[in-house]
Amino acid sequence: MGGAGNRARAGRLMLWDWNYTFEILPELARAALVTIEATLIGFILAATLGLALAILRMAKNPAISIPATVFVEFIRSTPLLIQIFFLFFVFPHFGITLSGFTAGVLALGVHYGAYCSEVYRAGFENIPRSQWEAALALNLGIVDTFRSIIIPQAIPPVIPALGNYLIALFKETPLLSAIAVLELMQTAKILGSESFRYTEPITLVGLFFLVMSLVSAALVRLVETWLGRVGRRV
Amino acid sequence: MTDNAPMVRFDGVRKTYGPLTVLDELCLDIARNEKVAMIGPSGSGKTTVLRMLMTLERIDGGVIYVEGEPLTHMERNGKLVPADQRHLRRVRAKIGMVFQQFNLFPHMSAMRNCMEAPIRVLGLSRKDAEARAAELLEMVGLGDKKDHYPSQLSGGQQQRVAIARALAMRPKVMLFDEVTSALDPELVGEVLNVIRKLGTEHNLTMLMVTHQMGFAKEFADRVCFFYKGRIAEEGPPQQIFVQPREERTRQFLRAVLEAG
Amino acid sequence: MAILLAFAAGVVLASYAGFREFLPGLIEGAWVTVQITVLGAMLAVVAALIAALAKMYGPWPLRWLAIAYIEIFRGTSALVQLFWLFFVLPHFGIVLEPLTVAVLGLGLNVGAYGAEVVRGAIQAVPRGQWEASTALNMSRASALSRIILPQALVAMIPPWGNLFVELLKATALVSLITLGDLAFRAQQMNQTTLRTVDIFSIVLVIYLCLALVLSQSMRALERWAARGIARGRVA
């Protein structure tokens, strides 16, 4: 990448350096993998945590439901970036050093877990009370009621909403560049700072996100229609 | 009858919704295997009786006993205290309920609807639960529809599945909450036939809220007429329907006849 | 909600030792945050209105421009947009101050989402209003500006409220383009004193309070705007 410095001097007047573009593609591709990895792990964490939080919020015991609600509202009302910083810098105080990737994915998971819990909650509230009553009349316990009756009915309708949060999470992975995770944005910045040409790296990254975002949005709509047809049965 | 203790006893039971008293010091004994029909204008408290027995509503006063044992309360140091979850679940197992809106689980087939609770609650093996469900669905006349989903069944068929589902738990008391009110008229008969069959072929205590006066007259051992949270009159169908003693009963029956 | 405030107060009191030490510097940063939020919000509303109207009623070149604007700014994240404006524009000869980049980037970002809100609100105005305007021989532009938009504006306030809170949270990103906002100050103090828990707890509480003030103001605005418009059942 050292030779790129010369490129900058030669190419400063160019609007777009195609050679440079192809040169940096491999590096960006590697970074894209990190981005995708962070997205998937973060989302799995968010989807799971969100479900747990939603169930906790429905607990009859206020000592459980109120802290859960406060936690969710707190996370949703404060910036993700601050939460990322907090997790990254707080753990060393307790003797645990987390890598940037781990702290970042954790923060993404918790932040979007809070959003997902809202989605699940809406899903649960859409289940008519009569289903709960039927389960009670059959003497099904609370665990079985959730597991066999409520969750199977509540989840399919909310999958599109969860899909939208997956996309949103994906688009926020560049925030991890703030704690030096080698995902797309951080890599683009490093490339740019070394070659003094930011145009190609950052625009390419932007295009990548744009294309992925449009494709996934179309996919989510597809899932929505497919669920609508299958949902006839439910 | 070997046991003289009533199957179900309501002892001074009260239910209020804020300032409104829905059930007022209700005292009602139901004998083992007795078939009791509860009739009366809407809001008179009949459905609340069923829902409290099924523990769907909390009780505001008095005690409900099932087979001599308190349902809503439990004994602790010789005194009655409100029942905890474990006690409720144990006694509740004796009661089964069929709802006006069927309330089948839409994401399960008829078969699975009937198998779910026996497996999860009674601990039956999958095979045993399946056999029991098949037998019950056969009995209600839906053996060939066992793999159908509720959305593929008519109202009458769904209600019959609901009856099979409740029976799969082998309750001693069956509650029927206006189970034909949500059905198209031509489907009412098939459900009533199943209930009739239950009455003759099974040892079940049955408590039903109904507007089907003809059915109540022919099927019930005893009829209770509810008015404003109290039993205004009760007795054998012969008395209630043919020679009612209370004016209010007469008025109600007149109104029902005119409408029907 | 009162619980939230109580919790916030509790956290603040808990880090009381750091409270007096850090608060002044953080408040300065918070002021920058507020400025960016307000300016960005104003830009967002203007951009959203223009984009939505262009998309719904404009000639096809304008419509495609609006669609492109909306898709690009919604399809990429705020940080990508900020970095692009900050790092790439200079190559085309345009060098902007960090504050301008911040307001521009965040304003246009939220504006793209806002365009959908505006569109939805306009479409939600009952068809009868259009018909009545036509019957009175009003021009389309006139009907739009005097009859439809004023009604749509009231319906828009709650979703805009949510977007403004998102904008407030997004301002934290400007710390990454060296703008001295609340997040920037927090990071600075953290690097020098390493009192992570104290600093960031206070910071989170400040953001929370700002968000609460924002959403309460929007609710008050909605009540004021809806005066005279009958809502809900008749009797």
Side-chain angles (χ1 to χ4, degrees), chain B residues 121-220:
Chain B
V121 182
L122 301 179
L124 254 64
S125 75
R126 203 182 176 79
K127 233 167 38 104
D128 291 337
E130 203 169 333
R132 185 185 288 190
E135 182 191 328
L136 286 167
L137 285 171
E138 192 70 49
M139 187 201 66
V140 303
L142 289 170
D144 57 336
K145 298 255 192 296
K146 56 183 164 68
D147 293 316
H148 281 59
Y149 281 76
S151 59
Q152 298 166 309
L153 299 171
S154 75
Q157 291 168 331
Q158 288 187 57
Q159 195 61 298
R160 286 188 274 152
V161 173
I163 295 176
R165 178 177 71 171
L167 286 173
M169 297 297 283
R170 300 261 198 267
K172 300 201 176 157
V173 182
M174 275 286 271
L175 309 178
F176 298 87
D177 185 8
E178 296 199 39
V179 298
T180 55
S181 297
L183 295 176
D184 291 334
E186 67 269 18
L187 301 173
V188 169
E190 68 195 52
V191 174
L192 293 181
N193 281 338
V194 168
I195 299 180
R196 204 175 281 123
K197 198 166 160 186
L198 276 183
T200 50
E201 293 177 12
H202 293 242
N203 289 336
L204 274 175
T205 310
M206 294 163 78
L207 191 53
M208 60 186 72
V209 172
T210 185
H211 292 303
Q212 300 284 335
M213 302 304 166
F215 181 72
K217 181 170 175 196
E218 158 240 320
F219 179 76

Side-chain angles (χ1 to χ4, degrees), chain C residues 176 206 227:
Chain C
L176 301 176
I206 296 179
R227 80 209 183 293

Side-chain angles (χ1 to χ4, degrees), chain A residues 8-138:
Chain A
R9 279 181 282 279
R12 188 162 300 183
L13 296 172
M14 287 167 63
L15 270 180
W16 186 271
D17 186 345
W18 281 106
N19 284 332
Y20 182 48
T21 305
F22 288 118
E23 211 177 288
I24 57 176
L25 272 180
E27 186 99 17
L28 287 178
R30 273 195 293 275
L33 280 173
V34 177
T35 293
I36 293 177
E37 214 184 309
T39 306
L40 289 176
I41 302 179
F43 185 69
I44 292 176
L45 188 59
T48 325
L49 182 62
L51 184 58
L53 281 170
I55 295 180
L56 286 176
R57 287 175 73 175
M58 292 178 70
K60 271 202 224 132
N61 185 355
I64 299 179
S65 64
I66 293 185
T69 306
V70 169
F71 180 73
V72 167
E73 289 306 317
F74 191 74
I75 298 288
R76 278 174 9 131
S77 309
T78 50
L80 173 56
L81 184 63
I82 305 288
Q83 292 164 13
I84 292 176
F85 281 148
F86 186 81
L87 281 177
F88 185 63
F89 290 114
V90 102
F91 277 101
H93 288 276
F94 297 104
I96 314 171
T97 336
L98 292 177
S99 74
F101 186 83
T102 316
V105 167
L106 209 65
L108 282 171
V110 169
H111 190 84
Y112 279 94
Y115 284 119
C116 287
S117 87
E118 277 298 293
V119 170
Y120 288 119
R121 204 169 66 95
F124 287 147
E125 279 174 12
N126 258 330
I127 307 293
R129 163 85 81 84
S130 54
Q131 288 292 297
W132 293 91
E133 294 189 344
L136 189 145
L138 291 168

